Amino acid sequence: MKNIIFYCLLFVTTIGNAQKTYTQTLKLMGSRFDITVVAENETQGNEYIQLAIEEIQRIEKLISSWDPKSNTSKINANAGIKPVKTSPELVGLIERCTKISQITDGAFDITYASMDKIWKFDGSVTEMPSPEKVKASVSKVGYQNIVIDKLNQTVFLKKVGMKIGFGAVGKGYAADVAKKLLMRKGVKAGIINASGDMNTWGIQPNGDFWEVAITNPKDKTKAFGMLPIHNNAVVTSGNYEKFILINGKRYTHIIDPRTGYPAHGLSSVTIFAPKAELADALATSVFVMGKEIGLNRINQIPNVECIIVDDEGNLYKSNNILFNKL
Ligand code: ADP
Ligand code: MG
Protein backbone atom coordinates (compact mmCIF):
# COMPACT_ATOMS: atom_id res chain seq x y z
CA MET A 1 0.00 0.00 0.00
CA LYS A 2 2.80 2.37 0.81
CA ASN A 3 3.77 2.79 -2.79
CA ILE A 4 0.97 5.36 -2.67
CA ILE A 5 3.23 7.51 -0.55
CA PHE A 6 6.63 6.41 -1.59
CA TYR A 7 8.19 5.39 -4.79
CA CYS A 8 11.77 5.20 -5.65
CA LEU A 9 13.41 6.78 -8.60
CA LEU A 10 15.68 4.34 -10.32
CA PHE A 11 18.15 5.62 -12.80
CA VAL A 12 19.53 2.88 -14.98
CA THR A 13 22.85 4.18 -16.01
CA THR A 14 26.13 2.96 -17.31
CA ILE A 15 28.23 5.74 -15.85
CA GLY A 16 31.18 4.64 -13.72
CA ASN A 17 32.27 1.02 -13.72
CA ALA A 18 29.44 -0.13 -15.99
CA GLN A 19 27.28 -1.20 -13.09
CA LYS A 20 23.54 -1.07 -13.62
CA THR A 21 20.41 -1.43 -11.54
CA TYR A 22 18.24 -4.51 -12.01
CA THR A 23 14.76 -4.81 -10.51
CA GLN A 24 12.27 -7.63 -10.09
CA THR A 25 8.73 -7.24 -8.78
CA LEU A 26 6.94 -10.16 -7.19
CA LYS A 27 4.52 -11.18 -4.47
CA LEU A 28 6.09 -12.37 -1.24
CA MET A 29 4.55 -12.55 2.24
CA GLY A 30 1.24 -11.61 0.62
CA SER A 31 2.64 -8.24 -0.46
CA ARG A 32 4.30 -6.67 -3.45
CA PHE A 33 8.08 -6.65 -3.23
CA ASP A 34 10.36 -4.76 -5.64
CA ILE A 35 13.92 -5.94 -5.29
CA THR A 36 16.58 -3.76 -6.88
CA VAL A 37 20.29 -4.53 -6.99
CA VAL A 38 23.27 -2.89 -8.58
CA ALA A 39 25.23 -5.49 -10.57
CA GLU A 40 27.62 -5.86 -13.47
CA ASN A 41 25.25 -7.68 -15.79
CA GLU A 42 21.78 -9.16 -15.95
CA THR A 43 22.84 -12.69 -15.01
CA GLN A 44 24.57 -11.45 -11.90
CA GLY A 45 21.67 -9.14 -11.09
CA ASN A 46 19.18 -12.02 -11.35
CA GLU A 47 21.35 -14.26 -9.19
CA TYR A 48 21.46 -11.64 -6.47
CA ILE A 49 17.72 -11.07 -6.64
CA GLN A 50 17.10 -14.82 -6.40
CA LEU A 51 19.12 -14.95 -3.19
CA ALA A 52 16.99 -12.19 -1.71
CA ILE A 53 13.79 -13.95 -2.73
CA GLU A 54 14.85 -17.21 -1.08
CA GLU A 55 15.78 -15.37 2.09
CA ILE A 56 12.42 -13.59 2.27
CA GLN A 57 10.63 -16.92 1.69
CA ARG A 58 12.62 -18.44 4.53
CA ILE A 59 11.45 -15.68 6.88
CA GLU A 60 7.89 -16.09 5.68
CA LYS A 61 8.03 -19.76 6.71
CA LEU A 62 9.38 -18.83 10.13
CA ILE A 63 6.84 -16.18 11.04
CA SER A 64 3.74 -17.28 9.16
CA SER A 65 0.64 -17.66 11.31
CA TRP A 66 -1.19 -19.56 8.56
CA ASP A 67 1.27 -22.37 8.07
CA PRO A 68 0.55 -24.83 10.94
CA LYS A 69 4.12 -26.13 10.67
CA SER A 70 5.75 -22.75 11.27
CA ASN A 71 7.55 -22.05 14.52
CA THR A 72 5.10 -19.24 15.18
CA SER A 73 2.07 -21.52 14.78
CA LYS A 74 3.60 -24.05 17.16
CA ILE A 75 4.09 -21.36 19.80
CA ASN A 76 0.46 -20.26 19.35
CA ALA A 77 -0.89 -23.82 19.45
CA ASN A 78 0.86 -24.38 22.78
CA ALA A 79 -0.34 -21.20 24.47
CA GLY A 80 -1.20 -21.92 28.09
CA ILE A 81 0.14 -25.46 27.66
CA LYS A 82 3.92 -25.53 27.36
CA PRO A 83 7.03 -23.67 26.19
CA VAL A 84 8.05 -24.37 22.61
CA LYS A 85 11.61 -24.82 21.45
CA THR A 86 12.26 -22.16 18.85
CA SER A 87 15.08 -21.10 16.57
CA PRO A 88 17.39 -18.45 18.05
CA GLU A 89 16.36 -16.18 15.18
CA LEU A 90 12.69 -16.21 16.12
CA VAL A 91 13.46 -15.94 19.84
CA GLY A 92 15.50 -12.82 19.01
CA LEU A 93 12.72 -11.29 16.93
CA ILE A 94 10.11 -11.93 19.62
CA GLU A 95 12.38 -10.48 22.27
CA ARG A 96 12.96 -7.31 20.25
CA CYS A 97 9.21 -7.01 19.72
CA THR A 98 8.59 -7.12 23.47
CA LYS A 99 11.18 -4.36 23.90
CA ILE A 100 9.25 -2.21 21.43
CA SER A 101 6.12 -2.92 23.48
CA GLN A 102 7.95 -1.68 26.57
CA ILE A 103 9.12 1.58 25.02
CA THR A 104 5.69 2.24 23.51
CA ASP A 105 3.72 1.41 26.69
CA GLY A 106 2.07 -1.49 24.90
CA ALA A 107 0.90 0.51 21.85
CA PHE A 108 2.80 -2.08 19.84
CA ASP A 109 2.06 -5.65 20.85
CA ILE A 110 2.51 -8.83 18.80
CA THR A 111 -0.08 -10.55 21.02
CA TYR A 112 -2.67 -8.31 19.30
CA ALA A 113 -3.17 -11.48 17.21
CA SER A 114 -5.32 -13.08 19.92
CA MET A 115 -7.96 -10.38 19.58
CA ASP A 116 -11.39 -11.62 18.68
CA LYS A 117 -11.97 -10.58 15.14
CA ILE A 118 -14.56 -7.92 15.80
CA TRP A 119 -13.03 -5.56 13.24
CA LYS A 120 -13.19 -7.37 9.93
CA PHE A 121 -11.87 -5.62 6.89
CA ASP A 122 -14.02 -7.43 4.34
CA GLY A 123 -17.02 -5.10 4.31
CA SER A 124 -19.02 -7.21 6.79
CA VAL A 125 -18.78 -4.74 9.70
CA THR A 126 -21.23 -1.85 9.29
CA GLU A 127 -21.85 -0.74 12.87
CA MET A 128 -19.77 -0.20 15.98
CA PRO A 129 -19.38 -3.28 18.16
CA SER A 130 -20.63 -2.83 21.73
CA PRO A 131 -18.13 -1.49 24.31
CA GLU A 132 -18.40 -4.80 26.20
CA LYS A 133 -17.47 -6.76 23.11
CA VAL A 134 -14.51 -4.49 22.40
CA LYS A 135 -13.27 -4.79 25.98
CA ALA A 136 -13.62 -8.56 25.95
CA SER A 137 -11.75 -8.79 22.64
CA VAL A 138 -8.44 -7.81 24.23
CA SER A 139 -8.64 -10.11 27.25
CA LYS A 140 -5.82 -12.29 26.01
CA VAL A 141 -3.65 -9.50 24.68
CA GLY A 142 -0.54 -8.65 26.69
CA TYR A 143 3.13 -8.88 25.80
CA GLN A 144 3.89 -9.26 29.54
CA ASN A 145 2.60 -12.81 29.22
CA ILE A 146 5.22 -13.84 26.67
CA VAL A 147 7.86 -15.86 28.51
CA ILE A 148 11.19 -16.08 26.74
CA ASP A 149 13.77 -18.54 27.99
CA LYS A 150 16.97 -17.64 26.19
CA LEU A 151 19.01 -20.40 27.75
CA ASN A 152 16.70 -23.14 26.53
CA GLN A 153 15.60 -21.20 23.44
CA THR A 154 11.92 -21.53 24.24
CA VAL A 155 8.92 -19.25 24.02
CA PHE A 156 5.80 -19.70 26.13
CA LEU A 157 2.55 -17.80 25.90
CA LYS A 158 1.10 -17.96 29.39
CA LYS A 159 -2.62 -17.71 28.65
CA VAL A 160 -4.74 -20.25 26.81
CA GLY A 161 -5.90 -18.64 23.56
CA MET A 162 -2.99 -16.20 23.39
CA LYS A 163 -1.44 -15.71 19.95
CA ILE A 164 1.39 -13.77 18.44
CA GLY A 165 1.48 -12.34 14.92
CA PHE A 166 4.06 -10.38 12.97
CA GLY A 167 1.79 -8.33 10.71
CA ALA A 168 3.39 -5.10 11.91
CA VAL A 169 7.09 -6.09 11.68
CA GLY A 170 7.40 -9.10 9.40
CA LYS A 171 7.97 -7.27 6.14
CA GLY A 172 10.51 -4.98 7.77
CA TYR A 173 12.38 -7.88 9.29
CA ALA A 174 12.40 -9.81 6.00
CA ALA A 175 13.73 -6.74 4.20
CA ASP A 176 16.53 -6.42 6.77
CA VAL A 177 17.69 -10.00 6.44
CA ALA A 178 17.54 -9.91 2.64
CA LYS A 179 19.59 -6.71 2.61
CA LYS A 180 22.11 -8.19 5.06
CA LEU A 181 22.53 -11.29 2.93
CA LEU A 182 23.07 -9.31 -0.27
CA MET A 183 25.57 -7.01 1.41
CA ARG A 184 27.44 -10.09 2.65
CA LYS A 185 27.49 -11.43 -0.92
CA GLY A 186 29.17 -8.23 -2.02
CA VAL A 187 26.23 -6.45 -3.60
CA LYS A 188 27.28 -2.81 -3.36
CA ALA A 189 23.90 -1.15 -3.51
CA GLY A 190 20.22 -1.91 -3.70
CA ILE A 191 16.73 -1.44 -2.41
CA ILE A 192 14.34 -3.94 -0.90
CA ASN A 193 10.98 -2.28 -1.33
CA ALA A 194 8.25 -4.19 0.50
CA SER A 195 5.07 -2.44 -0.67
CA GLY A 196 6.64 0.93 -0.06
CA ASP A 197 8.63 -0.05 3.03
CA MET A 198 12.07 0.79 1.70
CA ASN A 199 15.35 -0.59 2.85
CA THR A 200 18.37 0.74 1.00
CA TRP A 201 22.12 0.46 0.97
CA GLY A 202 24.89 1.97 -1.09
CA ILE A 203 24.35 4.56 -3.80
CA GLN A 204 23.10 4.55 -7.36
CA PRO A 205 25.59 3.73 -10.15
CA ASN A 206 25.62 7.42 -11.14
CA GLY A 207 26.83 8.37 -7.67
CA ASP A 208 23.51 9.79 -6.42
CA PHE A 209 21.79 8.68 -3.25
CA TRP A 210 18.60 6.69 -3.60
CA GLU A 211 15.65 8.99 -3.10
CA VAL A 212 12.12 8.67 -1.83
CA ALA A 213 9.28 11.01 -2.68
CA ILE A 214 7.13 12.12 0.23
CA THR A 215 3.65 12.81 -1.03
CA ASN A 216 0.48 13.95 0.63
CA PRO A 217 -1.71 10.91 1.41
CA LYS A 218 -4.77 13.07 0.59
CA ASP A 219 -3.45 14.13 -2.80
CA LYS A 220 -0.74 11.89 -4.08
CA THR A 221 -0.08 14.10 -7.07
CA LYS A 222 1.34 16.70 -4.70
CA ALA A 223 4.76 15.73 -3.42
CA PHE A 224 5.97 17.42 -0.26
CA GLY A 225 9.47 16.84 -1.55
CA MET A 226 12.22 14.34 -2.23
CA LEU A 227 14.41 12.92 0.48
CA PRO A 228 17.74 11.20 -0.15
CA ILE A 229 18.24 7.96 1.77
CA HIS A 230 21.45 6.15 2.40
CA ASN A 231 21.87 2.85 4.29
CA ASN A 232 18.54 3.46 5.83
CA ALA A 233 15.01 2.18 5.98
CA VAL A 234 11.85 4.20 5.42
CA VAL A 235 8.53 2.67 6.43
CA THR A 236 5.00 4.05 6.37
CA SER A 237 1.85 2.94 8.16
CA GLY A 238 -1.32 4.46 6.79
CA ASN A 239 -5.07 4.20 7.20
CA TYR A 240 -5.97 4.51 3.55
CA GLU A 241 -5.87 0.93 2.36
CA LYS A 242 -7.22 -1.49 4.93
CA PHE A 243 -10.07 0.17 6.80
CA ILE A 244 -13.76 -0.02 7.71
CA LEU A 245 -16.28 2.80 7.20
CA ILE A 246 -18.86 3.16 9.96
CA ASN A 247 -21.19 6.17 9.65
CA GLY A 248 -18.75 7.75 7.22
CA LYS A 249 -15.83 7.46 9.66
CA ARG A 250 -12.74 5.53 8.77
CA TYR A 251 -11.44 2.82 11.14
CA THR A 252 -8.02 1.42 10.37
CA HIS A 253 -6.52 -2.07 10.69
CA ILE A 254 -4.06 -0.85 13.30
CA ILE A 255 -5.66 -1.52 16.66
CA ASP A 256 -4.76 -0.09 20.05
CA PRO A 257 -4.11 -3.35 21.92
CA ARG A 258 -4.85 -1.65 25.24
CA THR A 259 -8.41 -0.69 24.33
CA GLY A 260 -9.38 -2.90 21.41
CA TYR A 261 -10.36 0.15 19.32
CA PRO A 262 -8.76 1.06 15.99
CA ALA A 263 -6.15 3.79 16.26
CA HIS A 264 -7.45 7.16 15.08
CA GLY A 265 -6.39 10.73 14.39
CA LEU A 266 -3.60 10.10 11.90
CA SER A 267 -3.56 9.27 8.20
CA SER A 268 0.04 8.26 7.88
CA VAL A 269 3.20 7.78 9.88
CA THR A 270 6.57 7.51 8.18
CA ILE A 271 9.61 6.37 10.12
CA PHE A 272 13.26 6.64 9.08
CA ALA A 273 15.56 4.23 10.92
CA PRO A 274 18.75 2.26 10.37
CA LYS A 275 16.72 -0.97 10.22
CA ALA A 276 13.41 -1.74 8.54
CA GLU A 277 12.25 -3.97 11.40
CA LEU A 278 12.53 -1.08 13.85
CA ALA A 279 11.03 1.38 11.37
CA ASP A 280 8.10 -0.98 10.69
CA ALA A 281 7.39 -1.58 14.37
CA LEU A 282 7.67 2.11 15.23
CA ALA A 283 5.43 3.23 12.34
CA THR A 284 2.66 1.02 13.70
CA SER A 285 3.42 2.19 17.26
CA VAL A 286 3.29 5.92 16.49
CA PHE A 287 0.05 5.36 14.61
CA VAL A 288 -1.41 4.02 17.87
CA MET A 289 0.31 6.51 20.20
CA GLY A 290 -0.83 9.57 18.25
CA LYS A 291 1.16 12.64 17.30
CA GLU A 292 2.11 14.12 20.71
CA ILE A 293 3.25 10.97 22.47
CA GLY A 294 4.51 9.47 19.21
CA LEU A 295 6.73 12.44 18.33
CA ASN A 296 7.95 12.70 21.88
CA ARG A 297 9.00 9.04 21.90
CA ILE A 298 10.67 9.23 18.49
CA ASN A 299 12.63 12.34 19.51
CA GLN A 300 14.19 10.28 22.30
CA ILE A 301 15.46 7.51 20.04
CA PRO A 302 18.80 8.22 18.35
CA ASN A 303 18.94 7.89 14.55
CA VAL A 304 15.19 7.50 14.24
CA GLU A 305 13.05 10.19 12.63
CA CYS A 306 9.41 10.53 11.83
CA ILE A 307 6.94 12.39 9.61
CA ILE A 308 3.28 12.32 10.59
CA VAL A 309 0.27 13.42 8.56
CA ASP A 310 -2.91 13.78 10.61
CA ASP A 311 -6.50 13.32 9.47
CA GLU A 312 -6.74 17.00 8.53
CA GLY A 313 -3.66 16.76 6.32
CA ASN A 314 -1.36 18.64 8.73
CA LEU A 315 2.26 17.58 8.72
CA TYR A 316 4.43 17.06 11.79
CA LYS A 317 8.05 15.98 11.92
CA SER A 318 10.56 14.91 14.51
CA ASN A 319 13.31 17.28 15.61
CA ASN A 320 16.13 16.13 13.38
CA ILE A 321 14.52 15.94 9.98
CA LEU A 322 16.78 18.31 8.14
CA PHE A 323 14.58 19.03 5.22
CA ASN A 324 13.27 22.55 5.02
CA LYS A 325 10.44 21.97 2.61
CA LEU A 326 8.78 19.50 4.94
P1 ADP B 1 0.97 -2.70 6.87
O1 ADP B 1 0.56 -4.09 7.18
O2 ADP B 1 -0.01 -1.99 6.04
O3 ADP B 1 2.36 -2.57 6.42
P2 ADP B 1 1.61 -2.06 9.60
O4 ADP B 1 3.06 -2.34 9.49
O5 ADP B 1 1.26 -0.86 10.41
O6 ADP B 1 0.89 -1.86 8.22
O7 ADP B 1 0.96 -3.34 10.24
C1 ADP B 1 -0.42 -3.46 10.48
C2 ADP B 1 -0.71 -4.89 10.85
O8 ADP B 1 -0.11 -5.17 12.11
C3 ADP B 1 -2.18 -5.17 11.04
O9 ADP B 1 -2.80 -5.61 9.85
C4 ADP B 1 -2.16 -6.27 12.09
O10 ADP B 1 -1.84 -7.50 11.49
C5 ADP B 1 -0.97 -5.89 12.95
N1 ADP B 1 -1.30 -4.97 14.07
C6 ADP B 1 -2.39 -4.16 14.19
N2 ADP B 1 -2.31 -3.42 15.30
C7 ADP B 1 -1.14 -3.77 15.92
C8 ADP B 1 -0.51 -3.35 17.12
N3 ADP B 1 -1.02 -2.40 17.89
N4 ADP B 1 0.68 -3.94 17.44
C9 ADP B 1 1.23 -4.89 16.66
N5 ADP B 1 0.67 -5.33 15.52
C10 ADP B 1 -0.50 -4.78 15.14
MG1 MG C 1 4.53 -1.66 10.90
Side-chain angles (χ1 to χ4, degrees):
M1 76 183 192
K2 286 121 195 185
N3 43 356
I4 299 170
I5 293 202
F6 290 118
Y7 59 90
C8 196
L9 293 183
L10 302 178
F11 300 104
V12 175
T13 171
T14 51
I15 299 173
N17 55 356
Q19 298 243 322
K20 281 190 188 178
T21 57
Y22 297 92
T23 302
Q24 264 184 46
T25 300
L26 69 163
K27 205 168 175 190
L28 292 163
M29 311 181 87
S31 303
R32 176 191 161 132
F33 271 73
D34 302 88
I35 302 169
T36 299
V37 294
V38 169
E40 268 159 30
N41 53 55
E42 196 173 350
T43 312
Q44 190 187 48
N46 286 339
E47 275 169 22
Y48 288 154
I49 290 170
Q50 193 51 37
L51 288 174
I53 293 171
E54 282 162 18
E55 188 67 346
I56 294 164
Q57 286 169 336
R58 186 182 68 78
I59 298 304
E60 190 174 6
K61 283 215 183 85
L62 190 69
I63 65 175
S64 159
S65 316
W66 302 282
D67 175 359
K69 291 199 291 291
S70 77
N71 261 269
T72 303
S73 297
K74 284 185 189 143
I75 293 170
N76 288 342
N78 285 289
I81 303 171
K82 62 171 197 279
V84 175
K85 186 104 184 150
T86 306
S87 71
E89 184 176 12
L90 190 61
V91 172
L93 177 63
I94 293 171
E95 195 187 20
R96 293 192 299 281
C97 285
T98 59
K99 289 203 172 122
I100 301 283
S101 298
Q102 282 161 11
I103 63 167
T104 61
D105 307 319
F108 175 87
D109 194 331
I110 53 172
T111 66
Y112 84 91
S114 68
M115 281 191 60
D116 297 333
K117 300 281 178 279
I118 51 174
W119 309 101
K120 291 198 196 89
F121 300 91
D122 55 6
S124 62
V125 176
T126 51
E127 51 183 56
M128 286 296 275
S130 71
E132 294 76 28
K133 254 186 146 177
V134 176
K135 192 156 182 249
S137 75
V138 289
S139 63
K140 290 173 189 124
V141 175
Y143 66 94
Q144 300 89 342
N145 292 320
I146 304 177
V147 183
I148 299 169
D149 179 342
K150 280 184 94 169
L151 195 68
N152 295 307
Q153 293 295 329
T154 61
V155 177
F156 178 47
L157 308 180
K158 275 197 205 161
K159 289 192 183 175
V160 177
M162 257 182 98
K163 274 197 192 106
I164 52 172
F166 298 96
V169 281
K171 283 195 305 241
Y173 177 61
D176 280 343
V177 291
K179 167 178 161 180
K180 201 164 133 198
L181 176 72
L182 292 185
M183 288 177 86
R184 212 168 57 227
K185 296 282 175 191
V187 183
K188 291 210 170 56
I191 308 170
I192 312 287
N193 179 352
S195 305
D197 292 353
M198 315 272 283
N199 203 355
T200 70
W201 72 104
I203 53 173
Q204 299 183 50
N206 66 1
D208 289 345
F209 286 128
W210 304 110
E211 288 186 309
V212 288
I214 312 282
T215 58
N216 185 337
K218 294 217 158 157
D219 181 358
K220 58 185 171 138
T221 60
K222 286 200 184 117
F224 288 127
M226 297 297 294
L227 278 184
I229 40 171
H230 177 55
N231 278 339
N232 229 326
V234 186
V235 172
T236 298
S237 278
N239 72 353
Y240 32 82
E241 194 175 67
K242 235 171 142 187
F243 59 85
I244 307 174
L245 278 176
I246 302 175
N247 296 332
K249 205 171 160 212
R250 198 183 281 226
Y251 293 88
T252 171
H253 66 137
I254 299 174
I255 313 282
D256 187 333
R258 301 159 301 188
T259 63
Y261 283 95
H264 56 89
L266 305 182
S267 349
S268 80
V269 175
T270 299
I271 301 281
F272 299 78
K275 292 209 161 173
E277 174 195 323
L278 181 66
D280 200 357
L282 288 176
T284 309
S285 310
V286 172
F287 210 92
V288 174
M289 290 189 286
K291 61 176 184 279
E292 279 89 16
I293 298 177
L295 276 178
N296 182 288
R297 254 345 106 85
I298 295 300
N299 281 328
Q300 294 176 46
I301 308 175
N303 302 320
V304 175
E305 299 303 330
C306 167
I307 297 172
I308 295 173
V309 181
D310 72 9
D311 278 346
E312 279 83 49
N314 303 310
L315 198 102
Y316 304 85
K317 54 184 175 139
S318 59
N319 290 342
N320 295 317
I321 290 215
L322 302 171
F323 192 69
N324 296 334
K325 280 186 233 154
L326 286 175

CSV table of all heavy atoms in Angstrom, one decimal, residues 23-43:
chain,number,residue,atom,x,y,z
A,23,THR,N,15.9,-4.7,-11.4
A,23,THR,CA,14.8,-4.8,-10.5
A,23,THR,C,13.8,-6.0,-10.9
A,23,THR,O,13.6,-6.2,-12.1
A,23,THR,CB,13.9,-3.5,-10.5
A,23,THR,OG1,14.8,-2.4,-10.2
A,23,THR,CG2,12.8,-3.5,-9.6
A,24,GLN,N,13.3,-6.7,-9.9
A,24,GLN,CA,12.3,-7.6,-10.1
A,24,GLN,C,11.1,-7.3,-9.1
A,24,GLN,O,11.4,-7.0,-8.0
A,24,GLN,CB,12.8,-9.1,-9.8
A,24,GLN,CG,13.2,-9.8,-11.1
A,24,GLN,CD,13.6,-11.2,-10.7
A,24,GLN,OE1,12.9,-11.9,-10.0
A,24,GLN,NE2,14.8,-11.6,-11.3
A,25,THR,N,9.9,-7.5,-9.6
A,25,THR,CA,8.7,-7.2,-8.8
A,25,THR,C,8.0,-8.6,-8.6
A,25,THR,O,7.8,-9.3,-9.6
A,25,THR,CB,7.8,-6.2,-9.5
A,25,THR,OG1,8.5,-5.0,-9.6
A,25,THR,CG2,6.5,-6.0,-8.7
A,26,LEU,N,7.7,-8.9,-7.4
A,26,LEU,CA,6.9,-10.2,-7.2
A,26,LEU,C,6.2,-10.1,-5.9
A,26,LEU,O,6.4,-9.2,-5.1
A,26,LEU,CB,7.9,-11.4,-7.3
A,26,LEU,CG,8.9,-11.6,-6.2
A,26,LEU,CD1,9.4,-13.0,-6.2
A,26,LEU,CD2,10.1,-10.6,-6.3
A,27,LYS,N,5.3,-11.1,-5.7
A,27,LYS,CA,4.5,-11.2,-4.5
A,27,LYS,C,5.2,-12.1,-3.5
A,27,LYS,O,5.5,-13.3,-3.8
A,27,LYS,CB,3.1,-11.7,-4.8
A,27,LYS,CG,2.1,-11.2,-3.8
A,27,LYS,CD,0.7,-11.5,-4.2
A,27,LYS,CE,-0.2,-11.1,-3.1
A,27,LYS,NZ,-1.6,-11.5,-3.4
A,28,LEU,N,5.5,-11.6,-2.3
A,28,LEU,CA,6.1,-12.4,-1.2
A,28,LEU,C,5.4,-12.0,0.0
A,28,LEU,O,5.0,-10.8,0.2
A,28,LEU,CB,7.6,-12.1,-1.1
A,28,LEU,CG,8.5,-12.5,-2.2
A,28,LEU,CD1,9.8,-11.8,-2.2
A,28,LEU,CD2,8.7,-14.0,-2.2
A,29,MET,N,5.2,-12.9,1.0
A,29,MET,CA,4.5,-12.6,2.2
A,29,MET,C,3.2,-11.8,2.0
A,29,MET,O,2.8,-11.0,2.8
A,29,MET,CB,5.4,-11.7,3.1
A,29,MET,CG,6.8,-12.2,3.3
A,29,MET,SD,7.8,-11.1,4.4
A,29,MET,CE,7.4,-11.9,5.9
A,30,GLY,N,2.5,-12.2,0.9
A,30,GLY,CA,1.2,-11.6,0.6
A,30,GLY,C,1.3,-10.2,0.2
A,30,GLY,O,0.3,-9.5,0.1
A,31,SER,N,2.5,-9.7,-0.1
A,31,SER,CA,2.6,-8.2,-0.5
A,31,SER,C,3.5,-8.1,-1.7
A,31,SER,O,4.3,-9.0,-2.0
A,31,SER,CB,3.3,-7.4,0.7
A,31,SER,OG,2.6,-7.6,1.8
A,32,ARG,N,3.4,-6.9,-2.3
A,32,ARG,CA,4.3,-6.7,-3.4
A,32,ARG,C,5.7,-6.3,-3.0
A,32,ARG,O,5.9,-5.4,-2.1
A,32,ARG,CB,3.7,-5.5,-4.2
A,32,ARG,CG,4.6,-5.1,-5.4
A,32,ARG,CD,4.1,-3.7,-6.0
A,32,ARG,NE,5.1,-3.1,-6.7
A,32,ARG,CZ,5.0,-2.7,-8.0
A,32,ARG,NH1,3.8,-2.7,-8.5
A,32,ARG,NH2,6.0,-2.1,-8.6
A,33,PHE,N,6.7,-7.0,-3.5
A,33,PHE,CA,8.1,-6.6,-3.2
A,33,PHE,C,8.8,-6.2,-4.5
A,33,PHE,O,8.6,-6.9,-5.6
A,33,PHE,CB,8.9,-7.9,-2.7
A,33,PHE,CG,8.8,-8.0,-1.2
A,33,PHE,CD1,7.7,-8.5,-0.6
A,33,PHE,CD2,10.0,-7.8,-0.4
A,33,PHE,CE1,7.6,-8.6,0.8
A,33,PHE,CE2,10.0,-7.9,0.9
A,33,PHE,CZ,8.8,-8.4,1.6
A,34,ASP,N,9.5,-5.1,-4.5
A,34,ASP,CA,10.4,-4.8,-5.6
A,34,ASP,C,11.8,-4.9,-5.1
A,34,ASP,O,12.2,-4.1,-4.2
A,34,ASP,CB,10.1,-3.3,-6.1
A,34,ASP,CG,8.6,-3.1,-6.5
A,34,ASP,OD1,7.8,-2.8,-5.6
A,34,ASP,OD2,8.3,-3.3,-7.7
A,35,ILE,N,12.5,-5.8,-5.7
A,35,ILE,CA,13.9,-5.9,-5.3
A,35,ILE,C,14.8,-5.4,-6.4
A,35,ILE,O,14.8,-5.8,-7.5
A,35,ILE,CB,14.2,-7.4,-5.0
A,35,ILE,CG1,13.2,-8.0,-4.0
A,35,ILE,CG2,15.7,-7.6,-4.6
A,35,ILE,CD1,13.2,-9.5,-3.9
A,36,THR,N,15.7,-4.4,-6.0
A,36,THR,CA,16.6,-3.8,-6.9
A,36,THR,C,18.0,-4.0,-6.4
A,36,THR,O,18.3,-3.8,-5.2
A,36,THR,CB,16.3,-2.2,-6.9
A,36,THR,OG1,15.0,-2.0,-7.4
A,36,THR,CG2,17.3,-1.5,-7.8
A,37,VAL,N,18.9,-4.4,-7.3
A,37,VAL,CA,20.3,-4.5,-7.0
A,37,VAL,C,21.1,-3.8,-8.0
A,37,VAL,O,20.7,-3.7,-9.2
A,37,VAL,CB,20.7,-6.0,-6.9
A,37,VAL,CG1,20.1,-6.8,-5.8
A,37,VAL,CG2,20.5,-6.7,-8.2
A,38,VAL,N,22.3,-3.4,-7.6
A,38,VAL,CA,23.3,-2.9,-8.6
A,38,VAL,C,24.2,-4.1,-8.9
A,38,VAL,O,24.8,-4.7,-8.0
A,38,VAL,CB,24.0,-1.7,-8.0
A,38,VAL,CG1,25.2,-1.3,-8.8
A,38,VAL,CG2,23.1,-0.5,-7.8
A,39,ALA,N,24.4,-4.4,-10.2
A,39,ALA,CA,25.2,-5.5,-10.6
A,39,ALA,C,25.9,-5.2,-11.9
A,39,ALA,O,25.6,-4.2,-12.6
A,39,ALA,CB,24.4,-6.8,-10.7
A,40,GLU,N,26.8,-6.1,-12.2
A,40,GLU,CA,27.6,-5.9,-13.5
A,40,GLU,C,26.9,-6.2,-14.7
A,40,GLU,O,27.1,-5.7,-15.8
A,40,GLU,CB,28.9,-6.6,-13.4
A,40,GLU,CG,30.0,-5.7,-12.8
A,40,GLU,CD,31.2,-6.5,-12.2
A,40,GLU,OE1,31.4,-7.6,-12.7
A,40,GLU,OE2,31.7,-6.1,-11.2
A,41,ASN,N,26.0,-7.3,-14.6
A,41,ASN,CA,25.2,-7.7,-15.8
A,41,ASN,C,24.0,-8.3,-15.3
A,41,ASN,O,23.8,-8.6,-14.1
A,41,ASN,CB,26.1,-8.6,-16.7
A,41,ASN,CG,26.6,-9.8,-15.9
A,41,ASN,OD1,25.8,-10.5,-15.2
A,41,ASN,ND2,27.9,-10.0,-15.9
A,42,GLU,N,23.1,-8.7,-16.3
A,42,GLU,CA,21.8,-9.2,-15.9
A,42,GLU,C,21.8,-10.5,-15.2
A,42,GLU,O,21.1,-10.7,-14.2
A,42,GLU,CB,21.0,-9.3,-17.2
A,42,GLU,CG,19.5,-9.4,-16.9
A,42,GLU,CD,18.6,-9.4,-18.1
A,42,GLU,OE1,19.1,-9.1,-19.2
A,42,GLU,OE2,17.4,-9.7,-18.0
A,43,THR,N,22.7,-11.4,-15.7
A,43,THR,CA,22.8,-12.7,-15.0
A,43,THR,C,23.2,-12.5,-13.5
A,43,THR,O,22.6,-13.1,-12.7
A,43,THR,CB,23.9,-13.5,-15.7
A,43,THR,OG1,23.7,-13.4,-17.1
A,43,THR,CG2,24.0,-15.0,-15.2
